[in-house]
Amino acid sequence: MAPSLPLPLPAVFLLLFLSLCSAASHKSNAPHDLIRSSCVHARYPALCLRTLSSFAGPAKTPRDLAQAAVSVSLARARRVSSYLTTVSGFKSKRERVALSDCVQEISDSVDQLSRTLNELKHLDGAKFRWHVSNAETWVSAALTNDDTCLDGFRGVEGKVKEDFRKKITNLARVTSNALYMINRLDESRGH
């Protein structure tokens, strides 16, 4: 076996520097890796990855991701709620009634998503499963409200309807992803 030659001091520093950079890079990618691995099986993975990657604040745990996903859904629900109060162009009585019902459905969704976000802050202790169950129930109800809102406009045509449908569909998709993240909390408990 050939004797090993000692490394020159600059080479030692270079190796140490590269080692530290690699560790720092791995650590800074950890939240993004968690998002990527969590979103891969969501119903809308590309939307999940896009919305959670751009969400302000680090997501270090599945609980953080669930809270972020609900926060994204809540923000979208609030924007849709504001949008609905400005929508015009629905001519028939049926369309106006459907819009009024939709305003109420989305308002209920905002309330349910707010309650969910608060519930996710209390996941510690013996009542973990109870809190998760409440969160799942409220997000499921919000998703049902989104779908019910869309159902009221089946058969209605026009540009206003198309814009309306896109906004509600997007809201339903981010809400579906939020429900997925909450459902994962039982799987990740203890991690």
Side-chain angles (χ1 to χ4, degrees):
M1 179 148 120
S4 61
L5 297 173
L7 289 173
L9 195 54
V12 171
F13 285 125
L14 179 61
L15 287 174
L16 180 61
F17 175 74
L18 291 175
S19 169
L20 291 173
C21 287
S22 175
S25 172
H26 178 69
K27 193 173 191 172
S28 68
N29 284 336
H32 191 67
D33 291 344
L34 175 63
I35 292 169
R36 186 185 335 260
S37 66
S38 298
C39 286
V40 73
H41 296 295
R43 188 160 187 192
Y44 305 99
L47 179 64
C48 179
L49 187 60
R50 187 174 67 249
T51 57
L52 293 181
S53 293
S54 64
F55 187 77
K60 297 176 185 169
T61 67
R63 178 179 167 178
D64 293 340
L65 279 181
Q67 288 175 324
V70 172
S71 292
V72 166
S73 184
L74 178 58
R76 297 265 169 107
R78 286 179 173 150
R79 283 197 305 265
V80 167
S81 183
S82 293
Y83 166 77
L84 291 176
T85 62
T86 67
V87 172
S88 61
F90 292 115
K91 309 273 189 255
S92 74
K93 180 179 179 182
R94 179 187 158 278
E95 292 169 350
R96 289 189 304 272
V97 168
L99 177 61
S100 176
D101 290 347
C102 193
V103 166
Q104 184 58 50
E105 295 287 341
I106 300 304
S107 175
D108 289 348
S109 290
V110 167
D111 179 59
Q112 291 153 339
L113 292 167
S114 295
R115 291 173 73 183
T116 300
L117 199 53
N118 188 52
E119 196 74 10
L120 291 175
K121 294 175 184 173
H122 300 93
L123 290 183
D124 301 322
K127 292 187 177 185
F128 175 89
R129 183 67 200 119
W130 183 75
H131 292 297
V132 170
S133 179
N134 286 342
E136 289 169 335
T137 298
W138 292 325
V139 173
S140 293
L143 187 55
T144 299
N145 290 339
D146 301 344
D147 291 340
T148 301
C149 179
L150 278 174
D151 286 345
F153 286 92
R154 295 215 188 275
V156 177
E157 301 297 326
K159 181 177 176 359
V160 171
K161 164 63 166 106
E162 187 59 27
D163 290 344
F164 176 82
R165 187 191 64 74
K166 284 180 184 177
K167 289 182 186 324
I168 302 296
T169 299
N170 183 270
L171 172 59
R173 288 177 177 173
V174 295
T175 303
S176 175
N177 284 343
L179 180 59
Y180 171 75
M181 291 298 172
I182 292 168
N183 288 337
R184 292 188 74 238
L185 289 174
D186 270 340
E187 298 169 19
S188 64
R189 188 171 185 198
H191 290 98

